């Protein structure tokens, strides 16, 4: 299971993540990302990886959890 995560100590509200993953990331009234918290599907994985790499503050990451 893959999910997006944010390192809040790094996030500078650039908003690129919301632009690249609009179904998974919204911006609040102050421009901070709000994650929907759902699993990233296999079809969304390339876009999620692109969003992680595009984050100028290196605040976004993709976690991989195994389901047991």
């Amino acid at each position: 299971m893959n999910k997006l995560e944010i390192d809040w100590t790094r996030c500078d509200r650039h908003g690129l993540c919301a632009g690249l993953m609009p179904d998974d990331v919204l911006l609040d009234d102050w421009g901070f990302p709000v994650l929907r918290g759902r699993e990233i599907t296999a079809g969304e994985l390339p876009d999620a990886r692109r969003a992680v790499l595009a984050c100028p503050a290196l605040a976004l990451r993709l976690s991989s959890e195994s389901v047991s």
Side-chain angles (χ1 to χ4, degrees):
M1 178 167 82
N2 294 302
K3 285 183 139 184
L4 288 173
E5 296 179 347
I6 298 172
D7 179 345
W8 294 109
T9 63
R10 292 180 171 264
C11 183
D12 286 332
R13 304 176 301 162
H14 293 280
L16 293 175
C17 52
L20 292 168
M21 298 289 298
D23 291 337
D24 295 285
V25 183
L26 302 171
L27 297 179
D28 69 10
D29 292 341
W30 298 276
F32 284 103
V34 177
L35 300 178
R36 293 188 190 246
R38 66 180 184 85
E39 182 179 346
I40 302 299
T41 66
E44 296 171 319
L45 207 48
D47 288 336
R49 287 184 176 133
R50 194 173 302 116
V52 168
L53 292 173
C55 181
L58 305 175
L60 192 64
R61 66 180 166 262
L62 193 59
S63 71
S64 177
E65 300 173 4
S66 59
V67 178
S68 35

Short mmCIF file of all heavy atoms in Angstrom, two decimals:
data_model
loop_
_atom_site.label_atom_id
_atom_site.label_comp_id
_atom_site.label_asym_id
_atom_site.label_seq_id
_atom_site.Cartn_x
_atom_site.Cartn_y
_atom_site.Cartn_z
N MET A 1 0.85 -1.19 0.00
CA MET A 1 0.00 0.00 0.00
C MET A 1 0.89 1.24 0.00
O MET A 1 1.79 1.36 0.81
CB MET A 1 -0.90 -0.02 1.23
CG MET A 1 -1.78 1.18 1.34
SD MET A 1 -3.09 1.04 2.55
CE MET A 1 -2.24 1.44 4.04
N ASN A 2 0.67 2.14 -0.93
CA ASN A 2 1.43 3.38 -1.03
C ASN A 2 0.55 4.56 -0.64
O ASN A 2 -0.61 4.63 -1.03
CB ASN A 2 1.91 3.59 -2.47
CG ASN A 2 2.91 2.55 -2.89
OD1 ASN A 2 3.94 2.40 -2.27
ND2 ASN A 2 2.60 1.82 -3.93
N LYS A 3 1.13 5.48 0.14
CA LYS A 3 0.44 6.69 0.56
C LYS A 3 1.39 7.87 0.48
O LYS A 3 2.59 7.71 0.66
CB LYS A 3 -0.06 6.57 2.00
CG LYS A 3 -1.26 5.70 2.18
CD LYS A 3 -1.68 5.72 3.62
CE LYS A 3 -3.18 5.79 3.68
NZ LYS A 3 -3.68 5.91 5.03
N LEU A 4 0.84 9.04 0.25
CA LEU A 4 1.63 10.26 0.32
C LEU A 4 1.71 10.71 1.77
O LEU A 4 0.75 10.59 2.53
CB LEU A 4 0.99 11.36 -0.52
CG LEU A 4 1.09 11.20 -2.03
CD1 LEU A 4 0.26 12.29 -2.71
CD2 LEU A 4 2.53 11.26 -2.50
N GLU A 5 2.87 11.27 2.14
CA GLU A 5 3.07 11.83 3.48
C GLU A 5 3.77 13.17 3.34
O GLU A 5 4.51 13.39 2.37
CB GLU A 5 3.93 10.90 4.33
CG GLU A 5 3.30 9.56 4.62
CD GLU A 5 4.20 8.66 5.45
OE1 GLU A 5 5.40 8.96 5.61
OE2 GLU A 5 3.70 7.63 5.92
N ILE A 6 3.55 14.04 4.30
CA ILE A 6 4.16 15.37 4.30
C ILE A 6 5.03 15.54 5.54
O ILE A 6 4.59 15.24 6.65
CB ILE A 6 3.10 16.47 4.28
CG1 ILE A 6 2.25 16.38 3.01
CG2 ILE A 6 3.74 17.86 4.38
CD1 ILE A 6 1.07 17.30 2.99
N ASP A 7 6.23 16.05 5.35
CA ASP A 7 7.09 16.45 6.46
C ASP A 7 6.78 17.92 6.72
O ASP A 7 7.20 18.80 5.98
CB ASP A 7 8.56 16.25 6.07
CG ASP A 7 9.51 16.67 7.18
OD1 ASP A 7 9.08 17.35 8.14
OD2 ASP A 7 10.70 16.32 7.08
N TRP A 8 5.97 18.17 7.76
CA TRP A 8 5.49 19.53 8.04
C TRP A 8 6.62 20.48 8.42
O TRP A 8 6.44 21.70 8.29
CB TRP A 8 4.42 19.49 9.13
CG TRP A 8 3.21 18.77 8.65
CD1 TRP A 8 2.77 17.55 9.05
CD2 TRP A 8 2.31 19.19 7.63
NE1 TRP A 8 1.64 17.19 8.35
CE2 TRP A 8 1.34 18.18 7.48
CE3 TRP A 8 2.22 20.33 6.83
CZ2 TRP A 8 0.30 18.28 6.56
CZ3 TRP A 8 1.19 20.42 5.91
CH2 TRP A 8 0.23 19.41 5.79
N THR A 9 7.75 19.98 8.86
CA THR A 9 8.86 20.86 9.20
C THR A 9 9.52 21.42 7.94
O THR A 9 10.26 22.39 8.02
CB THR A 9 9.92 20.14 10.05
OG1 THR A 9 10.49 19.06 9.29
CG2 THR A 9 9.30 19.60 11.33
N ARG A 10 9.25 20.82 6.79
CA ARG A 10 9.85 21.27 5.53
C ARG A 10 8.88 22.00 4.60
O ARG A 10 9.31 22.79 3.77
CB ARG A 10 10.41 20.07 4.76
CG ARG A 10 11.58 19.44 5.41
CD ARG A 10 12.04 18.25 4.55
NE ARG A 10 13.30 17.73 5.01
CZ ARG A 10 14.48 18.07 4.50
NH1 ARG A 10 14.55 18.93 3.52
NH2 ARG A 10 15.58 17.55 4.97
N CYS A 11 7.60 21.76 4.72
CA CYS A 11 6.61 22.28 3.77
C CYS A 11 6.61 23.82 3.78
O CYS A 11 6.47 24.45 4.82
CB CYS A 11 5.22 21.76 4.09
SG CYS A 11 3.98 22.32 2.90
N ASP A 12 6.75 24.41 2.57
CA ASP A 12 6.74 25.87 2.41
C ASP A 12 5.56 26.37 1.57
O ASP A 12 5.59 27.49 1.08
CB ASP A 12 8.05 26.33 1.74
CG ASP A 12 9.24 26.27 2.67
OD1 ASP A 12 9.05 26.38 3.89
OD2 ASP A 12 10.36 26.10 2.16
N ARG A 13 4.55 25.53 1.38
CA ARG A 13 3.31 25.90 0.69
C ARG A 13 3.51 26.28 -0.76
O ARG A 13 2.85 27.17 -1.28
CB ARG A 13 2.60 27.05 1.42
CG ARG A 13 2.29 26.75 2.84
CD ARG A 13 1.68 27.93 3.53
NE ARG A 13 2.59 29.07 3.46
CZ ARG A 13 2.23 30.32 3.65
NH1 ARG A 13 0.99 30.61 3.93
NH2 ARG A 13 3.10 31.29 3.58
N HIS A 14 4.37 25.58 -1.47
CA HIS A 14 4.55 25.87 -2.90
C HIS A 14 3.34 25.41 -3.72
O HIS A 14 3.03 26.00 -4.74
CB HIS A 14 5.82 25.18 -3.43
CG HIS A 14 7.07 25.75 -2.86
ND1 HIS A 14 7.63 26.92 -3.32
CD2 HIS A 14 7.87 25.32 -1.86
CE1 HIS A 14 8.72 27.18 -2.63
NE2 HIS A 14 8.88 26.23 -1.73
N GLY A 15 2.68 24.34 -3.29
CA GLY A 15 1.45 23.88 -3.94
C GLY A 15 1.64 23.01 -5.17
O GLY A 15 0.66 22.66 -5.81
N LEU A 16 2.86 22.67 -5.51
CA LEU A 16 3.08 21.82 -6.68
C LEU A 16 2.43 20.45 -6.51
O LEU A 16 1.93 19.87 -7.48
CB LEU A 16 4.58 21.66 -6.96
CG LEU A 16 5.30 22.93 -7.39
CD1 LEU A 16 6.80 22.67 -7.51
CD2 LEU A 16 4.74 23.44 -8.69
N CYS A 17 2.42 19.93 -5.30
CA CYS A 17 1.82 18.62 -5.06
C CYS A 17 0.35 18.63 -5.41
O CYS A 17 -0.17 17.68 -6.01
CB CYS A 17 2.04 18.18 -3.61
SG CYS A 17 1.54 19.38 -2.36
N ALA A 18 -0.34 19.69 -5.06
CA ALA A 18 -1.78 19.79 -5.38
C ALA A 18 -2.00 19.90 -6.88
O ALA A 18 -2.97 19.37 -7.41
CB ALA A 18 -2.40 20.98 -4.66
N GLY A 19 -1.10 20.57 -7.57
CA GLY A 19 -1.23 20.69 -9.00
C GLY A 19 -0.99 19.37 -9.73
O GLY A 19 -1.63 19.09 -10.74
N LEU A 20 -0.09 18.56 -9.18
CA LEU A 20 0.25 17.28 -9.82
C LEU A 20 -0.65 16.13 -9.36
O LEU A 20 -0.81 15.15 -10.08
CB LEU A 20 1.71 16.93 -9.54
CG LEU A 20 2.73 17.84 -10.23
CD1 LEU A 20 4.12 17.60 -9.68
CD2 LEU A 20 2.69 17.63 -11.73
N MET A 21 -1.23 16.24 -8.18
CA MET A 21 -2.08 15.18 -7.63
C MET A 21 -3.39 15.77 -7.11
O MET A 21 -3.70 15.67 -5.92
CB MET A 21 -1.34 14.47 -6.48
CG MET A 21 -0.06 13.76 -6.85
SD MET A 21 -0.31 12.28 -7.81
CE MET A 21 -1.25 11.26 -6.72
N PRO A 22 -4.18 16.41 -7.96
CA PRO A 22 -5.39 17.10 -7.48
C PRO A 22 -6.44 16.19 -6.84
O PRO A 22 -7.25 16.67 -6.05
CB PRO A 22 -5.93 17.78 -8.74
CG PRO A 22 -5.37 17.00 -9.87
CD PRO A 22 -4.03 16.49 -9.41
N ASP A 23 -6.42 14.90 -7.16
CA ASP A 23 -7.38 13.98 -6.54
C ASP A 23 -6.95 13.55 -5.14
O ASP A 23 -7.75 13.00 -4.39
CB ASP A 23 -7.57 12.73 -7.40
CG ASP A 23 -8.29 13.04 -8.70
OD1 ASP A 23 -9.01 14.06 -8.76
OD2 ASP A 23 -8.12 12.27 -9.66
N ASP A 24 -5.69 13.79 -4.80
CA ASP A 24 -5.16 13.34 -3.52
C ASP A 24 -4.72 14.47 -2.59
O ASP A 24 -4.58 14.27 -1.39
CB ASP A 24 -3.97 12.41 -3.75
CG ASP A 24 -4.40 11.14 -4.43
OD1 ASP A 24 -5.00 10.31 -3.74
OD2 ASP A 24 -4.17 10.99 -5.64
N VAL A 25 -4.46 15.65 -3.16
CA VAL A 25 -3.95 16.76 -2.36
C VAL A 25 -4.79 18.00 -2.63
O VAL A 25 -4.94 18.42 -3.78
CB VAL A 25 -2.47 17.06 -2.70
CG1 VAL A 25 -1.93 18.17 -1.80
CG2 VAL A 25 -1.61 15.82 -2.58
N LEU A 26 -5.31 18.59 -1.58
CA LEU A 26 -6.01 19.87 -1.66
C LEU A 26 -5.17 20.90 -0.92
O LEU A 26 -4.32 20.54 -0.11
CB LEU A 26 -7.38 19.77 -0.98
CG LEU A 26 -8.33 18.72 -1.52
CD1 LEU A 26 -9.54 18.60 -0.60
CD2 LEU A 26 -8.75 19.07 -2.92
N LEU A 27 -5.41 22.17 -1.18
CA LEU A 27 -4.73 23.22 -0.43
C LEU A 27 -5.73 23.88 0.50
O LEU A 27 -6.85 24.18 0.10
CB LEU A 27 -4.13 24.26 -1.38
CG LEU A 27 -3.05 23.74 -2.32
CD1 LEU A 27 -2.56 24.88 -3.23
CD2 LEU A 27 -1.89 23.12 -1.57
N ASP A 28 -5.30 24.11 1.75
CA ASP A 28 -6.20 24.77 2.69
C ASP A 28 -6.18 26.28 2.44
O ASP A 28 -5.55 26.77 1.49
CB ASP A 28 -5.85 24.41 4.14
CG ASP A 28 -4.53 24.97 4.63
OD1 ASP A 28 -3.91 25.83 3.95
OD2 ASP A 28 -4.08 24.55 5.72
N ASP A 29 -6.86 27.04 3.27
CA ASP A 29 -6.97 28.50 3.09
C ASP A 29 -5.63 29.22 3.15
O ASP A 29 -5.50 30.32 2.65
CB ASP A 29 -7.90 29.09 4.14
CG ASP A 29 -9.34 28.66 3.95
OD1 ASP A 29 -9.69 28.22 2.83
OD2 ASP A 29 -10.12 28.75 4.91
N TRP A 30 -4.62 28.61 3.76
CA TRP A 30 -3.29 29.22 3.90
C TRP A 30 -2.30 28.65 2.90
O TRP A 30 -1.13 28.99 2.93
CB TRP A 30 -2.78 29.04 5.33
CG TRP A 30 -3.67 29.72 6.31
CD1 TRP A 30 -3.63 31.04 6.67
CD2 TRP A 30 -4.74 29.14 7.02
NE1 TRP A 30 -4.64 31.31 7.57
CE2 TRP A 30 -5.33 30.15 7.81
CE3 TRP A 30 -5.28 27.86 7.08
CZ2 TRP A 30 -6.42 29.93 8.63
CZ3 TRP A 30 -6.36 27.64 7.91
CH2 TRP A 30 -6.91 28.67 8.67
N GLY A 31 -2.76 27.76 2.03
CA GLY A 31 -1.89 27.19 1.01
C GLY A 31 -1.17 25.93 1.41
O GLY A 31 -0.34 25.42 0.65
N PHE A 32 -1.47 25.40 2.59
CA PHE A 32 -0.83 24.15 3.02
C PHE A 32 -1.59 22.96 2.42
O PHE A 32 -2.81 23.00 2.30
CB PHE A 32 -0.83 24.03 4.55
CG PHE A 32 0.20 24.88 5.22
CD1 PHE A 32 -0.16 26.05 5.83
CD2 PHE A 32 1.53 24.50 5.23
CE1 PHE A 32 0.78 26.85 6.45
CE2 PHE A 32 2.49 25.28 5.85
CZ PHE A 32 2.12 26.46 6.46
N PRO A 33 -0.86 21.93 2.06
CA PRO A 33 -1.51 20.76 1.48
C PRO A 33 -2.30 19.97 2.51
O PRO A 33 -1.90 19.86 3.67
CB PRO A 33 -0.35 19.93 0.93
CG PRO A 33 0.84 20.37 1.70
CD PRO A 33 0.59 21.79 2.10
N VAL A 34 -3.42 19.44 2.08
CA VAL A 34 -4.25 18.56 2.88
C VAL A 34 -4.36 17.25 2.10
O VAL A 34 -4.85 17.25 0.98
CB VAL A 34 -5.65 19.15 3.13
CG1 VAL A 34 -6.52 18.18 3.90
CG2 VAL A 34 -5.55 20.49 3.82
N LEU A 35 -3.86 16.18 2.69
CA LEU A 35 -3.89 14.89 2.01
C LEU A 35 -5.21 14.18 2.29
O LEU A 35 -5.71 14.21 3.40
CB LEU A 35 -2.74 14.01 2.50
CG LEU A 35 -1.34 14.56 2.28
CD1 LEU A 35 -0.30 13.60 2.85
CD2 LEU A 35 -1.08 14.80 0.80
N ARG A 36 -5.74 13.55 1.28
CA ARG A 36 -6.98 12.78 1.46
C ARG A 36 -6.72 11.48 2.21
O ARG A 36 -7.64 10.88 2.73
CB ARG A 36 -7.62 12.51 0.12
CG ARG A 36 -8.11 13.77 -0.53
CD ARG A 36 -8.91 13.47 -1.75
NE ARG A 36 -9.18 14.68 -2.49
CZ ARG A 36 -10.37 15.21 -2.65
NH1 ARG A 36 -11.42 14.62 -2.14
NH2 ARG A 36 -10.52 16.31 -3.34
N GLY A 37 -5.47 11.03 2.23
CA GLY A 37 -5.10 9.87 3.04
C GLY A 37 -5.45 8.53 2.45
O GLY A 37 -5.37 7.51 3.12
N ARG A 38 -5.85 8.52 1.21
CA ARG A 38 -6.21 7.24 0.61
C ARG A 38 -5.00 6.59 -0.04
O ARG A 38 -3.99 7.24 -0.27
CB ARG A 38 -7.35 7.41 -0.39
CG ARG A 38 -6.98 8.20 -1.61
CD ARG A 38 -8.18 8.31 -2.55
NE ARG A 38 -7.82 8.98 -3.78
CZ ARG A 38 -7.27 8.39 -4.82
NH1 ARG A 38 -7.00 7.12 -4.80
NH2 ARG A 38 -6.96 9.07 -5.91
N GLU A 39 -5.14 5.34 -0.35
CA GLU A 39 -4.07 4.59 -0.99
C GLU A 39 -3.86 5.11 -2.41
O GLU A 39 -4.80 5.40 -3.13
CB GLU A 39 -4.41 3.11 -1.03
CG GLU A 39 -3.34 2.26 -1.64
CD GLU A 39 -3.70 0.78 -1.64
OE1 GLU A 39 -4.64 0.39 -0.96
OE2 GLU A 39 -3.01 0.03 -2.35
N ILE A 40 -2.59 5.20 -2.80
CA ILE A 40 -2.23 5.57 -4.16
C ILE A 40 -2.31 4.31 -5.01
O ILE A 40 -1.67 3.30 -4.71
CB ILE A 40 -0.81 6.16 -4.21
CG1 ILE A 40 -0.68 7.39 -3.31
CG2 ILE A 40 -0.41 6.49 -5.64
CD1 ILE A 40 -1.58 8.53 -3.67
N THR A 41 -3.10 4.36 -6.06
CA THR A 41 -3.25 3.18 -6.91
C THR A 41 -2.02 3.02 -7.81
O THR A 41 -1.23 3.96 -7.98
CB THR A 41 -4.51 3.30 -7.80
OG1 THR A 41 -4.31 4.38 -8.71
CG2 THR A 41 -5.75 3.53 -6.97
N ALA A 42 -1.91 1.85 -8.41
CA ALA A 42 -0.78 1.57 -9.31
C ALA A 42 -0.77 2.55 -10.48
O ALA A 42 0.29 3.00 -10.92
CB ALA A 42 -0.85 0.14 -9.81
N GLY A 43 -1.94 2.91 -10.96
CA GLY A 43 -2.03 3.87 -12.06
C GLY A 43 -1.62 5.28 -11.67
O GLY A 43 -1.20 6.06 -12.52
N GLU A 44 -1.77 5.63 -10.40
CA GLU A 44 -1.40 6.96 -9.91
C GLU A 44 0.05 7.04 -9.46
O GLU A 44 0.56 8.14 -9.22
CB GLU A 44 -2.29 7.35 -8.73
CG GLU A 44 -3.74 7.49 -9.06
CD GLU A 44 -4.60 7.65 -7.83
OE1 GLU A 44 -4.35 6.96 -6.83
OE2 GLU A 44 -5.53 8.46 -7.89
N LEU A 45 0.69 5.92 -9.34
CA LEU A 45 2.06 5.88 -8.81
C LEU A 45 3.04 6.75 -9.59
O LEU A 45 3.82 7.49 -8.97
CB LEU A 45 2.53 4.43 -8.73
CG LEU A 45 3.58 4.10 -7.69
CD1 LEU A 45 3.25 4.63 -6.32
CD2 LEU A 45 3.78 2.60 -7.63
N PRO A 46 3.04 6.74 -10.92
CA PRO A 46 3.97 7.63 -11.63
C PRO A 46 3.75 9.11 -11.31
O PRO A 46 4.71 9.86 -11.12
CB PRO A 46 3.69 7.34 -13.11
CG PRO A 46 3.13 5.96 -13.12
CD PRO A 46 2.34 5.85 -11.85
N ASP A 47 2.48 9.54 -11.22
CA ASP A 47 2.19 10.93 -10.87
C ASP A 47 2.61 11.24 -9.44
O ASP A 47 3.10 12.33 -9.15
CB ASP A 47 0.71 11.24 -11.06
CG ASP A 47 0.31 11.31 -12.52
OD1 ASP A 47 1.20 11.57 -13.37
OD2 ASP A 47 -0.88 11.11 -12.81
N ALA A 48 2.41 10.29 -8.54
CA ALA A 48 2.81 10.49 -7.15
C ALA A 48 4.33 10.63 -7.04
O ALA A 48 4.83 11.50 -6.33
CB ALA A 48 2.32 9.33 -6.28
N ARG A 49 5.05 9.80 -7.77
CA ARG A 49 6.52 9.90 -7.76
C ARG A 49 6.96 11.24 -8.35
O ARG A 49 7.90 11.86 -7.86
CB ARG A 49 7.12 8.74 -8.54
CG ARG A 49 7.00 7.43 -7.80
CD ARG A 49 7.70 6.31 -8.55
NE ARG A 49 7.65 5.08 -7.77
CZ ARG A 49 7.30 3.91 -8.27
NH1 ARG A 49 7.01 3.79 -9.55
NH2 ARG A 49 7.28 2.85 -7.50
N ARG A 50 6.29 11.68 -9.40
CA ARG A 50 6.61 12.97 -10.01
C ARG A 50 6.38 14.10 -9.01
O ARG A 50 7.17 15.04 -8.91
CB ARG A 50 5.76 13.15 -11.27
CG ARG A 50 6.23 14.26 -12.16
CD ARG A 50 5.47 14.32 -13.50
NE ARG A 50 5.61 13.04 -14.22
CZ ARG A 50 4.58 12.23 -14.50
NH1 ARG A 50 3.35 12.54 -14.13
NH2 ARG A 50 4.78 11.12 -15.16
N ALA A 51 5.28 14.03 -8.26
CA ALA A 51 4.98 15.06 -7.27
C ALA A 51 6.04 15.09 -6.17
O ALA A 51 6.47 16.16 -5.73
CB ALA A 51 3.60 14.82 -6.67
N VAL A 52 6.47 13.92 -5.72
CA VAL A 52 7.51 13.84 -4.69
C VAL A 52 8.80 14.49 -5.20
O VAL A 52 9.44 15.28 -4.50
CB VAL A 52 7.75 12.38 -4.27
CG1 VAL A 52 9.01 12.25 -3.42
CG2 VAL A 52 6.54 11.84 -3.51
N LEU A 53 9.19 14.16 -6.42
CA LEU A 53 10.42 14.71 -6.99
C LEU A 53 10.32 16.21 -7.28
O LEU A 53 11.31 16.92 -7.25
CB LEU A 53 10.78 13.96 -8.27
CG LEU A 53 11.21 12.51 -8.08
CD1 LEU A 53 11.38 11.83 -9.43
CD2 LEU A 53 12.49 12.42 -7.27
N ALA A 54 9.11 16.70 -7.55
CA ALA A 54 8.91 18.11 -7.88
C ALA A 54 8.87 19.02 -6.66
O ALA A 54 9.03 20.23 -6.80
CB ALA A 54 7.63 18.29 -8.68
N CYS A 55 8.66 18.47 -5.48
CA CYS A 55 8.55 19.30 -4.28
C CYS A 55 9.87 20.03 -4.01
O CYS A 55 10.88 19.40 -3.68
CB CYS A 55 8.17 18.43 -3.07
SG CYS A 55 8.00 19.41 -1.56
N PRO A 56 9.88 21.37 -4.12
CA PRO A 56 11.13 22.11 -3.93
C PRO A 56 11.64 22.08 -2.49
O PRO A 56 12.83 22.27 -2.26
CB PRO A 56 10.79 23.53 -4.36
CG PRO A 56 9.32 23.62 -4.37
CD PRO A 56 8.78 22.24 -4.50
N ALA A 57 10.75 21.82 -1.55
CA ALA A 57 11.16 21.79 -0.14
C ALA A 57 11.48 20.37 0.34
O ALA A 57 11.83 20.18 1.50
CB ALA A 57 10.06 22.39 0.73
N LEU A 58 11.33 19.39 -0.55
CA LEU A 58 11.55 17.98 -0.19
C LEU A 58 10.66 17.54 0.97
O LEU A 58 11.06 16.75 1.82
CB LEU A 58 13.02 17.71 0.12
CG LEU A 58 14.02 18.09 -0.97
CD1 LEU A 58 15.45 17.89 -0.47
CD2 LEU A 58 13.76 17.33 -2.25
N ALA A 59 9.44 18.07 1.00
CA ALA A 59 8.53 17.80 2.11
C ALA A 59 7.59 16.64 1.84
O ALA A 59 6.97 16.10 2.76
CB ALA A 59 7.70 19.05 2.41
N LEU A 60 7.47 16.25 0.60
CA LEU A 60 6.53 15.19 0.23
C LEU A 60 7.27 13.88 0.03
O LEU A 60 8.37 13.86 -0.53
CB LEU A 60 5.82 15.59 -1.07
CG LEU A 60 4.61 14.79 -1.49
CD1 LEU A 60 3.48 14.96 -0.48
CD2 LEU A 60 4.15 15.22 -2.87
N ARG A 61 6.69 12.81 0.53
CA ARG A 61 7.30 11.49 0.33
C ARG A 61 6.20 10.46 0.11
O ARG A 61 5.05 10.68 0.46
CB ARG A 61 8.20 11.11 1.50
CG ARG A 61 7.48 10.90 2.80
CD ARG A 61 8.47 10.52 3.91
NE ARG A 61 7.83 10.65 5.19
CZ ARG A 61 7.93 11.69 6.00
NH1 ARG A 61 8.68 12.71 5.66
NH2 ARG A 61 7.31 11.72 7.14
N LEU A 62 6.61 9.37 -0.49
CA LEU A 62 5.72 8.27 -0.76
C LEU A 62 6.10 7.14 0.16
O LEU A 62 7.24 6.66 0.15
CB LEU A 62 5.87 7.86 -2.23
CG LEU A 62 4.86 6.94 -2.83
CD1 LEU A 62 3.46 7.52 -2.77
CD2 LEU A 62 5.22 6.64 -4.27
N SER A 63 5.17 6.73 1.01
CA SER A 63 5.45 5.63 1.93
C SER A 63 4.89 4.33 1.35
O SER A 63 3.91 4.34 0.62
CB SER A 63 4.84 5.88 3.31
OG SER A 63 3.44 5.76 3.25
N SER A 64 5.54 3.27 1.67
CA SER A 64 5.10 1.95 1.22
C SER A 64 4.94 1.07 2.44
O SER A 64 5.91 0.81 3.16
CB SER A 64 6.13 1.37 0.27
OG SER A 64 5.74 0.08 -0.12
N GLU A 65 3.71 0.67 2.70
CA GLU A 65 3.42 -0.17 3.85
C GLU A 65 2.93 -1.52 3.35
O GLU A 65 2.09 -1.59 2.48
CB GLU A 65 2.34 0.46 4.73
CG GLU A 65 2.72 1.81 5.27
CD GLU A 65 1.55 2.46 5.99
OE1 GLU A 65 0.48 1.83 6.13
OE2 GLU A 65 1.70 3.60 6.41
N SER A 66 3.46 -2.57 3.92
CA SER A 66 2.96 -3.88 3.54
C SER A 66 1.77 -4.25 4.40
O SER A 66 1.72 -3.96 5.58
CB SER A 66 4.06 -4.94 3.69
OG SER A 66 4.51 -4.98 5.02
N VAL A 67 0.78 -4.82 3.78
CA VAL A 67 -0.43 -5.23 4.48
C VAL A 67 -0.27 -6.69 4.85
O VAL A 67 0.03 -7.53 4.02
CB VAL A 67 -1.67 -5.04 3.58
CG1 VAL A 67 -2.91 -5.52 4.29
CG2 VAL A 67 -1.79 -3.60 3.15
N SER A 68 -0.46 -6.99 6.14
CA SER A 68 -0.31 -8.39 6.57
C SER A 68 -1.62 -8.98 7.03
O SER A 68 -2.56 -8.40 7.29
CB SER A 68 0.72 -8.52 7.66
OG SER A 68 0.75 -7.46 8.54
#
